[in-house]
Amino acid sequence: MNELPKQYEPLAAQEKWSAFWEEKGYFHSEPNPEKKPYTIVIPPPNVTGALHLGHALNETLQDTMIRMKRMQGFETLWVPGVDHAGIATQAVVEKRLFEQEHKTRHDIGREALVERIWNWKDQYQQRIIKQLKTMGCSCDWRRTRFTLDPVCAKAVRYFFFNLFRDGLIYRGKRLVNWDTHLQTAVSDDEVFHETIAGNFWYIHYPIVDPKPGEPEFVMVATTRPETMLGDTAVAVHPSPESEFNRIEKDLREKIANGPEKEKADLQIQLDDLLRRRKESLPFLIQLAKMAADGRKVLLPLMKREIPLVADIWAKPNLGTGCVKITPAHDPNDYEVGKRQKLPMINLLQEDGVYNENAGKYAGLPIKKVRAQVLEDLEKEGLLVKTEDREIEISMSDRSKTPIEPYLNDQWFVKMERLCQMAMDAVESNEVKIHPARYAKGYLDWLSEKRDWPIGRQLWWGHRIPVWYCDGSATEEVLKAAFAGREDVLWRFDEEHKQWWICSQEENLTADAVPGYSLTQEEDVLDTWFSSALWPHSTLGWPDNTPDLNYYYPTNILITSRDIISLWVARMVLASYFNLGKKPFDDVFIHPKILDKYGEGMSKSKGNGIDPVAIIEKFGTDSLRFAIAYLTTENQDVRLGLDFECPYCGAIVEQTKKNRTLPKIACPKCKKEFSTQWAEKPEDKALAQAPIVGERFEVARNFCNKLWNAARFVMMNLEGFEPKEIKDDDLLLEDRWILSRLATVSDQVTQSLETFRYSEAARALYDFAWDEFCSFYLEITKARMNDPNQRDKVQSLLVYVLDSILRLLHPITPFITEEIWQRLAPFAPVRGLKPEKVSESITIAPWPVADLSRVDREIEEQFTLFQELLRGLREVRARQNVAPKTEIQFSVRCEEGVADLLSPMAPYLKGMAGAAAVAWGKEIEVPPLSANVSSAKMEIFVDLADLIDVASEIGKKEKDLEKLAGFIKSKEAKLSGDFIKKAPPQVVEKERASLEDLKVQWNANNQILEQLRKLVK
């Protein structure tokens, strides 16, 4: 093995080193009192399908931290696992069952459906684990957990039991978000809102026995007329005049004190309010008095008398000023119903069909009820008018169908005490959220202290460990049945006159209470109930395991902002409740990956790209480096991705239309290729198109640059004998590269420690590419041929390359391992003070920055040198000067800059073929020159002997003629009516453009005059 191959083969390296790492057990962790632990638990991906690039970002950041900490000497543990994702997974399997067999879950039964879901889980868990390994994740695979496995299941039972013991679990009728398609409750956080074209229907409700002077009807407006069948009141504001006064005062204050740009809209609102007040206030005052007198209205169609009530939910400035109240089918009406002690009439069955409470409409689905209700109102002359409106509806994030507010018996956790513990943890900075701005959303959500509905009407998940027993059983009977047992608790349910019996571990039998038959609750627990325990359930809680004692609390959670309330907050409160301590020290909220249209990536949209598709084209290191490079604290990551035709190589734009297609025809060669969505055998038989993107191209180019630099170093290591490098042996460029290495090592370490991944990646990119490859390697080439310098240069090149590999390894693990292993035969011992290196870079020590080597003056000197070199190369390229032709230059700069740059002149001859003529503030500019400016210098390259003067004169004359035409046109424009008609900012922009053209004309004219002097 004399040198690296010319090309890096990422797929071969990935397969080889993944197997090597796993065989060596580098990722396996056990409690080690000699080391400090560093622990991460993976946010468990759902077993609904494959991972996408959003997961790749999350896993890359976690692996970067774990690999760095492993190199720093910590006992690192990264726990992998997957989540059963109750609603989502059951929905996917049920959909597949219906599509393939035209059956529902009820057709095959609970046991058969659960068996199918387990088969699905096994298939996709294997796929997810394979993806994670392909991405280079250094998890302890022997510890892989699943939220339904026995270890996690035990933790769930104990958590529920302890909450039940403390009186924090209850069951009761509450209004919940109901998914009629999946027939289960979903939490507020699993609901999204969508604006659609809809209607406002205005309906007359007759007044019961109106007195003289009173109206015959109350008019209400609604977007959901079908729910009126469950109305139990009509509400009007108790004091409409004072409410109008309050709103008017508020609007006038905003107009007086608000921004000028908002005043016109506020005035329109005020005018509308005053008009409404004039038109409706007397009527609303009258209705408020009638409500206070206990008057009633007749509910249309149902012919049921319902009260007119006074409640602040009715806004006199909105709609008709009156609102229908349907407590069982609207969350706001539900609160009114509780305040006013109204009956709550549930109209729905679980499947969204109306029940017997809907009278003649029973048995019809929601849409048909709406149509029939509107038709019947029309017949009775009670439908006053219909308005077209855009309305916002609630949608289930799982089934993508409309949510129905639904009054149902549900299990809840009382959250006040638990929420306060989780709030205290962040407010005291015991748990730190990064970036800090995300702490506000966390605290805002917890501060509402809304009880948590934990029951789900599913068959897949942790079944609620509660058994029902007939209320005729006495306390003595239960005590006798469970005598001396502390793992069984019971409580009497007054509403349903039955006992709830909760068992900590054992599933109770039907005859567990002699003389009575027990039945277990059918509902399962919310997925987030088990996920809330993930940091400690994966380490063996509730058992007091060595793992729990050593690794807990974990160190960091890295996740997305979407689940701060769903998951992060619940993990914190569960940990304090169960263990009395925090689950992790830090929470890093990473950006989201968006597609080119700014949409978040997801499988349902078809833009959720499998990271393996990127890896197969660019390699894992390119994927990871590109992602780390883009992970800033301030913004989401937008990735423009397209297809590459596998036949002709043409780039085929990925659009919203084609991104979900199983196959696409290439516009160039007309051949069809398959995509990741291909399922039919005939589609899969087509060649699959790689996914390409500019970001990954850049990252791959960087990996290739690193590979070529390493190859160059190894090609020049013949006869290498490691020896200690003393400071007296270092030349200027050596002190510079060691200073920069120390600076960058410190910067990268600090950046990763504080989760500034982009800063770390950019620092490494600039150092490896610009400073090591483009400058230091170039500078030292000549010394390779000097017998007195060769061994020192070899040692320094190996040392710097070694350090770059270590710093890059957490982000780009495979290429760094490949180079490390190939470098080992050449330099098994290396360093400024040579030491034998480890058998793998995975366990090599992390570079510790030697800040004593930092020399700011030398760093500034070389920064200026790099600017100068870039400027000279730019002029050479611009003027098409042959590489072997020497150019002469002068630099206008301050004396301090000249003092730093002048010693660098010898390097410029070798690296740019350039000879310095003069430095300083008072230089003589060559009569014919090309110049380049930067912040601290102006470079003039003498062109007298480098160009065809006559040809250049002709070019400049044409340029001047063109510029003169532009100037004349601008001057004409600015002397006409344009100035009077155009906005001031537009006129100013045109004037600035004219001045810029004049500056260009003068500069070109000066050059032309110099050229003409040369001819004379």
PDB file of all heavy atoms in Angstrom, residues 730-740 771 853-866 900-901 904:
ATOM      1  N   LEU A 730      10.998  25.409  13.402  1.00  0.00           N
ATOM      2  CA  LEU A 730       9.811  25.850  12.665  1.00  0.00           C
ATOM      3  C   LEU A 730      10.100  27.104  11.854  1.00  0.00           C
ATOM      4  O   LEU A 730      10.641  28.085  12.374  1.00  0.00           O
ATOM      5  CB  LEU A 730       8.660  26.126  13.631  1.00  0.00           C
ATOM      6  CG  LEU A 730       8.190  24.944  14.493  1.00  0.00           C
ATOM      7  CD1 LEU A 730       7.136  25.409  15.486  1.00  0.00           C
ATOM      8  CD2 LEU A 730       7.637  23.821  13.619  1.00  0.00           C
ATOM      9  N   LEU A 731       9.699  27.066  10.583  1.00  0.00           N
ATOM     10  CA  LEU A 731       9.758  28.256   9.749  1.00  0.00           C
ATOM     11  C   LEU A 731       8.463  29.040   9.918  1.00  0.00           C
ATOM     12  O   LEU A 731       7.531  28.607  10.589  1.00  0.00           O
ATOM     13  CB  LEU A 731       9.983  27.868   8.295  1.00  0.00           C
ATOM     14  CG  LEU A 731      11.261  27.086   7.973  1.00  0.00           C
ATOM     15  CD1 LEU A 731      11.412  26.927   6.461  1.00  0.00           C
ATOM     16  CD2 LEU A 731      12.490  27.746   8.575  1.00  0.00           C
ATOM     17  N   LEU A 732       8.417  30.191   9.255  1.00  0.00           N
ATOM     18  CA  LEU A 732       7.265  31.082   9.395  1.00  0.00           C
ATOM     19  C   LEU A 732       5.959  30.367   9.057  1.00  0.00           C
ATOM     20  O   LEU A 732       4.976  30.444   9.805  1.00  0.00           O
ATOM     21  CB  LEU A 732       7.439  32.305   8.489  1.00  0.00           C
ATOM     22  CG  LEU A 732       6.295  33.328   8.506  1.00  0.00           C
ATOM     23  CD1 LEU A 732       6.181  33.977   9.876  1.00  0.00           C
ATOM     24  CD2 LEU A 732       6.505  34.391   7.424  1.00  0.00           C
ATOM     25  N   GLU A 733       5.956  29.647   7.914  1.00  0.00           N
ATOM     26  CA  GLU A 733       4.722  28.979   7.506  1.00  0.00           C
ATOM     27  C   GLU A 733       4.338  27.859   8.463  1.00  0.00           C
ATOM     28  O   GLU A 733       3.162  27.548   8.631  1.00  0.00           O
ATOM     29  CB  GLU A 733       4.831  28.432   6.080  1.00  0.00           C
ATOM     30  CG  GLU A 733       5.889  27.370   5.863  1.00  0.00           C
ATOM     31  CD  GLU A 733       7.195  27.956   5.349  1.00  0.00           C
ATOM     32  OE1 GLU A 733       7.502  29.122   5.683  1.00  0.00           O
ATOM     33  OE2 GLU A 733       7.901  27.248   4.616  1.00  0.00           O
ATOM     34  N   ASP A 734       5.329  27.242   9.111  1.00  0.00           N
ATOM     35  CA  ASP A 734       5.049  26.194  10.094  1.00  0.00           C
ATOM     36  C   ASP A 734       4.388  26.783  11.336  1.00  0.00           C
ATOM     37  O   ASP A 734       3.410  26.226  11.864  1.00  0.00           O
ATOM     38  CB  ASP A 734       6.336  25.484  10.506  1.00  0.00           C
ATOM     39  CG  ASP A 734       7.077  24.885   9.315  1.00  0.00           C
ATOM     40  OD1 ASP A 734       6.402  24.536   8.330  1.00  0.00           O
ATOM     41  OD2 ASP A 734       8.309  24.785   9.384  1.00  0.00           O
ATOM     42  N   ARG A 735       4.916  27.917  11.795  1.00  0.00           N
ATOM     43  CA  ARG A 735       4.318  28.559  12.973  1.00  0.00           C
ATOM     44  C   ARG A 735       2.893  29.021  12.658  1.00  0.00           C
ATOM     45  O   ARG A 735       2.008  28.967  13.504  1.00  0.00           O
ATOM     46  CB  ARG A 735       5.188  29.737  13.434  1.00  0.00           C
ATOM     47  CG  ARG A 735       6.566  29.315  13.910  1.00  0.00           C
ATOM     48  CD  ARG A 735       7.210  30.362  14.816  1.00  0.00           C
ATOM     49  NE  ARG A 735       7.298  31.670  14.209  1.00  0.00           N
ATOM     50  CZ  ARG A 735       8.312  32.070  13.434  1.00  0.00           C
ATOM     51  NH1 ARG A 735       9.297  31.218  13.152  1.00  0.00           N
ATOM     52  NH2 ARG A 735       8.332  33.278  12.923  1.00  0.00           N
ATOM     53  N   TRP A 736       2.718  29.449  11.397  1.00  0.00           N
ATOM     54  CA  TRP A 736       1.362  29.878  10.985  1.00  0.00           C
ATOM     55  C   TRP A 736       0.383  28.710  11.001  1.00  0.00           C
ATOM     56  O   TRP A 736      -0.700  28.797  11.576  1.00  0.00           O
ATOM     57  CB  TRP A 736       1.420  30.488   9.580  1.00  0.00           C
ATOM     58  CG  TRP A 736       0.057  30.650   8.964  1.00  0.00           C
ATOM     59  CD1 TRP A 736      -0.908  31.532   9.332  1.00  0.00           C
ATOM     60  CD2 TRP A 736      -0.490  29.875   7.882  1.00  0.00           C
ATOM     61  NE1 TRP A 736      -2.033  31.366   8.544  1.00  0.00           N
ATOM     62  CE2 TRP A 736      -1.806  30.356   7.652  1.00  0.00           C
ATOM     63  CE3 TRP A 736       0.001  28.839   7.099  1.00  0.00           C
ATOM     64  CZ2 TRP A 736      -2.618  29.841   6.655  1.00  0.00           C
ATOM     65  CZ3 TRP A 736      -0.821  28.311   6.099  1.00  0.00           C
ATOM     66  CH2 TRP A 736      -2.115  28.809   5.884  1.00  0.00           C
ATOM     67  N   ILE A 737       0.737  27.571  10.370  1.00  0.00           N
ATOM     68  CA  ILE A 737      -0.214  26.462  10.289  1.00  0.00           C
ATOM     69  C   ILE A 737      -0.490  25.897  11.673  1.00  0.00           C
ATOM     70  O   ILE A 737      -1.625  25.497  11.979  1.00  0.00           O
ATOM     71  CB  ILE A 737       0.277  25.368   9.314  1.00  0.00           C
ATOM     72  CG1 ILE A 737      -0.895  24.449   8.918  1.00  0.00           C
ATOM     73  CG2 ILE A 737       1.399  24.533   9.907  1.00  0.00           C
ATOM     74  CD1 ILE A 737      -1.936  25.094   8.061  1.00  0.00           C
ATOM     75  N   LEU A 738       0.517  25.881  12.563  1.00  0.00           N
ATOM     76  CA  LEU A 738       0.290  25.383  13.922  1.00  0.00           C
ATOM     77  C   LEU A 738      -0.570  26.355  14.726  1.00  0.00           C
ATOM     78  O   LEU A 738      -1.381  25.936  15.561  1.00  0.00           O
ATOM     79  CB  LEU A 738       1.623  25.128  14.626  1.00  0.00           C
ATOM     80  CG  LEU A 738       2.465  23.980  14.048  1.00  0.00           C
ATOM     81  CD1 LEU A 738       3.792  23.865  14.789  1.00  0.00           C
ATOM     82  CD2 LEU A 738       1.703  22.658  14.120  1.00  0.00           C
ATOM     83  N   SER A 739      -0.396  27.642  14.467  1.00  0.00           N
ATOM     84  CA  SER A 739      -1.242  28.642  15.124  1.00  0.00           C
ATOM     85  C   SER A 739      -2.687  28.483  14.661  1.00  0.00           C
ATOM     86  O   SER A 739      -3.621  28.471  15.465  1.00  0.00           O
ATOM     87  CB  SER A 739      -0.735  30.048  14.815  1.00  0.00           C
ATOM     88  OG  SER A 739      -1.606  31.026  15.362  1.00  0.00           O
ATOM     89  N   ARG A 740      -2.849  28.353  13.350  1.00  0.00           N
ATOM     90  CA  ARG A 740      -4.200  28.195  12.813  1.00  0.00           C
ATOM     91  C   ARG A 740      -4.833  26.881  13.301  1.00  0.00           C
ATOM     92  O   ARG A 740      -6.013  26.834  13.608  1.00  0.00           O
ATOM     93  CB  ARG A 740      -4.173  28.200  11.286  1.00  0.00           C
ATOM     94  CG  ARG A 740      -3.879  29.548  10.681  1.00  0.00           C
ATOM     95  CD  ARG A 740      -4.969  30.574  11.001  1.00  0.00           C
ATOM     96  NE  ARG A 740      -6.268  30.112  10.531  1.00  0.00           N
ATOM     97  CZ  ARG A 740      -7.391  30.227  11.220  1.00  0.00           C
ATOM     98  NH1 ARG A 740      -7.385  30.798  12.429  1.00  0.00           N
ATOM     99  NH2 ARG A 740      -8.531  29.803  10.719  1.00  0.00           N
ATOM    100  N   GLU A 771      -6.556  26.675   3.819  1.00  0.00           N
ATOM    101  CA  GLU A 771      -5.288  26.904   4.505  1.00  0.00           C
ATOM    102  C   GLU A 771      -4.335  25.713   4.403  1.00  0.00           C
ATOM    103  O   GLU A 771      -3.157  25.889   4.064  1.00  0.00           O
ATOM    104  CB  GLU A 771      -5.567  27.280   5.961  1.00  0.00           C
ATOM    105  CG  GLU A 771      -6.325  28.596   6.041  1.00  0.00           C
ATOM    106  CD  GLU A 771      -6.748  28.999   7.439  1.00  0.00           C
ATOM    107  OE1 GLU A 771      -7.190  28.130   8.202  1.00  0.00           O
ATOM    108  OE2 GLU A 771      -6.639  30.193   7.752  1.00  0.00           O
ATOM    109  N   ARG A 853       0.397  28.134  21.110  1.00  0.00           N
ATOM    110  CA  ARG A 853       0.917  28.264  19.753  1.00  0.00           C
ATOM    111  C   ARG A 853       0.181  29.329  18.942  1.00  0.00           C
ATOM    112  O   ARG A 853       0.571  29.626  17.810  1.00  0.00           O
ATOM    113  CB  ARG A 853       0.830  26.928  19.019  1.00  0.00           C
ATOM    114  CG  ARG A 853       1.769  25.872  19.588  1.00  0.00           C
ATOM    115  CD  ARG A 853       1.994  24.745  18.612  1.00  0.00           C
ATOM    116  NE  ARG A 853       3.001  23.819  19.118  1.00  0.00           N
ATOM    117  CZ  ARG A 853       4.312  23.989  18.997  1.00  0.00           C
ATOM    118  NH1 ARG A 853       4.782  25.077  18.385  1.00  0.00           N
ATOM    119  NH2 ARG A 853       5.155  23.101  19.484  1.00  0.00           N
ATOM    120  N   VAL A 854      -0.891  29.865  19.471  1.00  0.00           N
ATOM    121  CA  VAL A 854      -1.651  30.863  18.726  1.00  0.00           C
ATOM    122  C   VAL A 854      -0.853  32.154  18.644  1.00  0.00           C
ATOM    123  O   VAL A 854      -0.444  32.718  19.657  1.00  0.00           O
ATOM    124  CB  VAL A 854      -3.023  31.118  19.387  1.00  0.00           C
ATOM    125  CG1 VAL A 854      -3.752  32.246  18.670  1.00  0.00           C
ATOM    126  CG2 VAL A 854      -3.861  29.844  19.372  1.00  0.00           C
ATOM    127  N   ASP A 855      -0.615  32.587  17.414  1.00  0.00           N
ATOM    128  CA  ASP A 855       0.127  33.825  17.142  1.00  0.00           C
ATOM    129  C   ASP A 855      -0.737  34.670  16.232  1.00  0.00           C
ATOM    130  O   ASP A 855      -0.809  34.449  15.017  1.00  0.00           O
ATOM    131  CB  ASP A 855       1.467  33.491  16.475  1.00  0.00           C
ATOM    132  CG  ASP A 855       2.370  34.716  16.350  1.00  0.00           C
ATOM    133  OD1 ASP A 855       1.852  35.825  16.086  1.00  0.00           O
ATOM    134  OD2 ASP A 855       3.602  34.556  16.507  1.00  0.00           O
ATOM    135  N   ARG A 856      -1.411  35.654  16.817  1.00  0.00           N
ATOM    136  CA  ARG A 856      -2.366  36.455  16.053  1.00  0.00           C
ATOM    137  C   ARG A 856      -1.679  37.252  14.948  1.00  0.00           C
ATOM    138  O   ARG A 856      -2.254  37.468  13.874  1.00  0.00           O
ATOM    139  CB  ARG A 856      -3.124  37.415  16.985  1.00  0.00           C
ATOM    140  CG  ARG A 856      -3.958  36.716  18.050  1.00  0.00           C
ATOM    141  CD  ARG A 856      -5.010  35.817  17.444  1.00  0.00           C
ATOM    142  NE  ARG A 856      -5.825  35.143  18.454  1.00  0.00           N
ATOM    143  CZ  ARG A 856      -6.533  34.042  18.228  1.00  0.00           C
ATOM    144  NH1 ARG A 856      -6.508  33.485  17.033  1.00  0.00           N
ATOM    145  NH2 ARG A 856      -7.253  33.492  19.193  1.00  0.00           N
ATOM    146  N   GLU A 857      -0.456  37.685  15.193  1.00  0.00           N
ATOM    147  CA  GLU A 857       0.237  38.475  14.173  1.00  0.00           C
ATOM    148  C   GLU A 857       0.539  37.623  12.945  1.00  0.00           C
ATOM    149  O   GLU A 857       0.335  38.059  11.805  1.00  0.00           O
ATOM    150  CB  GLU A 857       1.536  39.056  14.736  1.00  0.00           C
ATOM    151  CG  GLU A 857       2.241  39.977  13.743  1.00  0.00           C
ATOM    152  CD  GLU A 857       3.428  40.686  14.359  1.00  0.00           C
ATOM    153  OE1 GLU A 857       3.302  41.214  15.470  1.00  0.00           O
ATOM    154  OE2 GLU A 857       4.487  40.685  13.705  1.00  0.00           O
ATOM    155  N   ILE A 858       1.004  36.396  13.177  1.00  0.00           N
ATOM    156  CA  ILE A 858       1.281  35.518  12.040  1.00  0.00           C
ATOM    157  C   ILE A 858      -0.015  35.153  11.316  1.00  0.00           C
ATOM    158  O   ILE A 858      -0.058  35.103  10.076  1.00  0.00           O
ATOM    159  CB  ILE A 858       2.016  34.243  12.512  1.00  0.00           C
ATOM    160  CG1 ILE A 858       3.449  34.583  12.912  1.00  0.00           C
ATOM    161  CG2 ILE A 858       2.006  33.173  11.425  1.00  0.00           C
ATOM    162  CD1 ILE A 858       4.260  33.401  13.379  1.00  0.00           C
ATOM    163  N   GLU A 859      -1.084  34.930  12.065  1.00  0.00           N
ATOM    164  CA  GLU A 859      -2.360  34.605  11.426  1.00  0.00           C
ATOM    165  C   GLU A 859      -2.835  35.773  10.562  1.00  0.00           C
ATOM    166  O   GLU A 859      -3.321  35.573   9.446  1.00  0.00           O
ATOM    167  CB  GLU A 859      -3.406  34.240  12.485  1.00  0.00           C
ATOM    168  CG  GLU A 859      -3.126  32.903  13.168  1.00  0.00           C
ATOM    169  CD  GLU A 859      -4.334  32.338  13.891  1.00  0.00           C
ATOM    170  OE1 GLU A 859      -5.465  32.720  13.544  1.00  0.00           O
ATOM    171  OE2 GLU A 859      -4.159  31.501  14.800  1.00  0.00           O
ATOM    172  N   GLU A 860      -2.688  36.993  11.079  1.00  0.00           N
ATOM    173  CA  GLU A 860      -3.077  38.158  10.282  1.00  0.00           C
ATOM    174  C   GLU A 860      -2.191  38.277   9.053  1.00  0.00           C
ATOM    175  O   GLU A 860      -2.651  38.595   7.959  1.00  0.00           O
ATOM    176  CB  GLU A 860      -2.984  39.436  11.123  1.00  0.00           C
ATOM    177  CG  GLU A 860      -3.444  40.664  10.349  1.00  0.00           C
ATOM    178  CD  GLU A 860      -3.272  41.961  11.128  1.00  0.00           C
ATOM    179  OE1 GLU A 860      -2.734  41.917  12.246  1.00  0.00           O
ATOM    180  OE2 GLU A 860      -3.649  43.019  10.576  1.00  0.00           O
ATOM    181  N   GLN A 861      -0.895  37.999   9.243  1.00  0.00           N
ATOM    182  CA  GLN A 861       0.056  38.078   8.140  1.00  0.00           C
ATOM    183  C   GLN A 861      -0.353  37.135   7.007  1.00  0.00           C
ATOM    184  O   GLN A 861      -0.363  37.516   5.831  1.00  0.00           O
ATOM    185  CB  GLN A 861       1.449  37.719   8.656  1.00  0.00           C
ATOM    186  CG  GLN A 861       2.565  37.862   7.631  1.00  0.00           C
ATOM    187  CD  GLN A 861       3.924  37.614   8.271  1.00  0.00           C
ATOM    188  OE1 GLN A 861       4.018  37.151   9.395  1.00  0.00           O
ATOM    189  NE2 GLN A 861       4.984  37.948   7.547  1.00  0.00           N
ATOM    190  N   PHE A 862      -0.718  35.907   7.366  1.00  0.00           N
ATOM    191  CA  PHE A 862      -1.087  34.948   6.332  1.00  0.00           C
ATOM    192  C   PHE A 862      -2.485  35.220   5.775  1.00  0.00           C
ATOM    193  O   PHE A 862      -2.771  34.880   4.623  1.00  0.00           O
ATOM    194  CB  PHE A 862      -0.965  33.522   6.864  1.00  0.00           C
ATOM    195  CG  PHE A 862       0.395  32.933   6.642  1.00  0.00           C
ATOM    196  CD1 PHE A 862       1.443  33.250   7.485  1.00  0.00           C
ATOM    197  CD2 PHE A 862       0.640  32.101   5.565  1.00  0.00           C
ATOM    198  CE1 PHE A 862       2.703  32.725   7.269  1.00  0.00           C
ATOM    199  CE2 PHE A 862       1.899  31.575   5.344  1.00  0.00           C
ATOM    200  CZ  PHE A 862       2.951  31.884   6.198  1.00  0.00           C
ATOM    201  N   THR A 863      -3.354  35.821   6.565  1.00  0.00           N
ATOM    202  CA  THR A 863      -4.663  36.214   6.025  1.00  0.00           C
ATOM    203  C   THR A 863      -4.470  37.250   4.925  1.00  0.00           C
ATOM    204  O   THR A 863      -5.085  37.169   3.850  1.00  0.00           O
ATOM    205  CB  THR A 863      -5.559  36.789   7.141  1.00  0.00           C
ATOM    206  OG1 THR A 863      -5.784  35.784   8.123  1.00  0.00           O
ATOM    207  CG2 THR A 863      -6.903  37.244   6.580  1.00  0.00           C
ATOM    208  N   LEU A 864      -3.600  38.217   5.181  1.00  0.00           N
ATOM    209  CA  LEU A 864      -3.296  39.223   4.161  1.00  0.00           C
ATOM    210  C   LEU A 864      -2.616  38.582   2.955  1.00  0.00           C
ATOM    211  O   LEU A 864      -2.895  38.920   1.803  1.00  0.00           O
ATOM    212  CB  LEU A 864      -2.393  40.311   4.757  1.00  0.00           C
ATOM    213  CG  LEU A 864      -3.032  41.193   5.837  1.00  0.00           C
ATOM    214  CD1 LEU A 864      -1.976  42.042   6.523  1.00  0.00           C
ATOM    215  CD2 LEU A 864      -4.114  42.082   5.226  1.00  0.00           C
ATOM    216  N   PHE A 865      -1.710  37.642   3.238  1.00  0.00           N
ATOM    217  CA  PHE A 865      -1.020  36.941   2.169  1.00  0.00           C
ATOM    218  C   PHE A 865      -2.008  36.180   1.285  1.00  0.00           C
ATOM    219  O   PHE A 865      -1.910  36.188   0.045  1.00  0.00           O
ATOM    220  CB  PHE A 865       0.003  35.979   2.787  1.00  0.00           C
ATOM    221  CG  PHE A 865       0.611  35.015   1.809  1.00  0.00           C
ATOM    222  CD1 PHE A 865       1.437  35.456   0.786  1.00  0.00           C
ATOM    223  CD2 PHE A 865       0.354  33.652   1.910  1.00  0.00           C
ATOM    224  CE1 PHE A 865       1.994  34.561  -0.110  1.00  0.00           C
ATOM    225  CE2 PHE A 865       0.904  32.754   1.014  1.00  0.00           C
ATOM    226  CZ  PHE A 865       1.731  33.210   0.003  1.00  0.00           C
ATOM    227  N   GLN A 866      -2.997  35.540   1.913  1.00  0.00           N
ATOM    228  CA  GLN A 866      -4.005  34.818   1.139  1.00  0.00           C
ATOM    229  C   GLN A 866      -4.816  35.775   0.265  1.00  0.00           C
ATOM    230  O   GLN A 866      -5.120  35.467  -0.885  1.00  0.00           O
ATOM    231  CB  GLN A 866      -4.928  34.052   2.089  1.00  0.00           C
ATOM    232  CG  GLN A 866      -4.270  32.851   2.747  1.00  0.00           C
ATOM    233  CD  GLN A 866      -5.117  32.254   3.863  1.00  0.00           C
ATOM    234  OE1 GLN A 866      -5.398  32.915   4.858  1.00  0.00           O
ATOM    235  NE2 GLN A 866      -5.505  31.015   3.702  1.00  0.00           N
ATOM    236  N   LEU A 900       4.056  43.351   7.234  1.00  0.00           N
ATOM    237  CA  LEU A 900       3.652  41.953   7.329  1.00  0.00           C
ATOM    238  C   LEU A 900       3.790  41.220   5.996  1.00  0.00           C
ATOM    239  O   LEU A 900       4.133  40.031   5.951  1.00  0.00           O
ATOM    240  CB  LEU A 900       2.197  41.861   7.812  1.00  0.00           C
ATOM    241  CG  LEU A 900       1.917  42.257   9.263  1.00  0.00           C
ATOM    242  CD1 LEU A 900       0.424  42.303   9.526  1.00  0.00           C
ATOM    243  CD2 LEU A 900       2.582  41.286  10.226  1.00  0.00           C
ATOM    244  N   LEU A 901       3.519  41.930   4.889  1.00  0.00           N
ATOM    245  CA  LEU A 901       3.492  41.272   3.588  1.00  0.00           C
ATOM    246  C   LEU A 901       4.852  41.147   2.915  1.00  0.00           C
ATOM    247  O   LEU A 901       5.129  40.165   2.222  1.00  0.00           O
ATOM    248  CB  LEU A 901       2.535  42.023   2.646  1.00  0.00           C
ATOM    249  CG  LEU A 901       1.047  41.771   2.860  1.00  0.00           C
ATOM    250  CD1 LEU A 901       0.224  42.657   1.951  1.00  0.00           C
ATOM    251  CD2 LEU A 901       0.710  40.303   2.598  1.00  0.00           C
ATOM    252  N   MET A 904       6.803  38.013   2.782  1.00  0.00           N
ATOM    253  CA  MET A 904       6.156  36.892   2.100  1.00  0.00           C
ATOM    254  C   MET A 904       6.460  36.871   0.602  1.00  0.00           C
ATOM    255  O   MET A 904       6.023  35.969  -0.108  1.00  0.00           O
ATOM    256  CB  MET A 904       4.630  36.970   2.281  1.00  0.00           C
ATOM    257  CG  MET A 904       4.161  37.215   3.692  1.00  0.00           C
ATOM    258  SD  MET A 904       4.570  35.873   4.804  1.00  0.00           S
ATOM    259  CE  MET A 904       3.453  34.621   4.236  1.00  0.00           C
TER     260      MET A 904
END
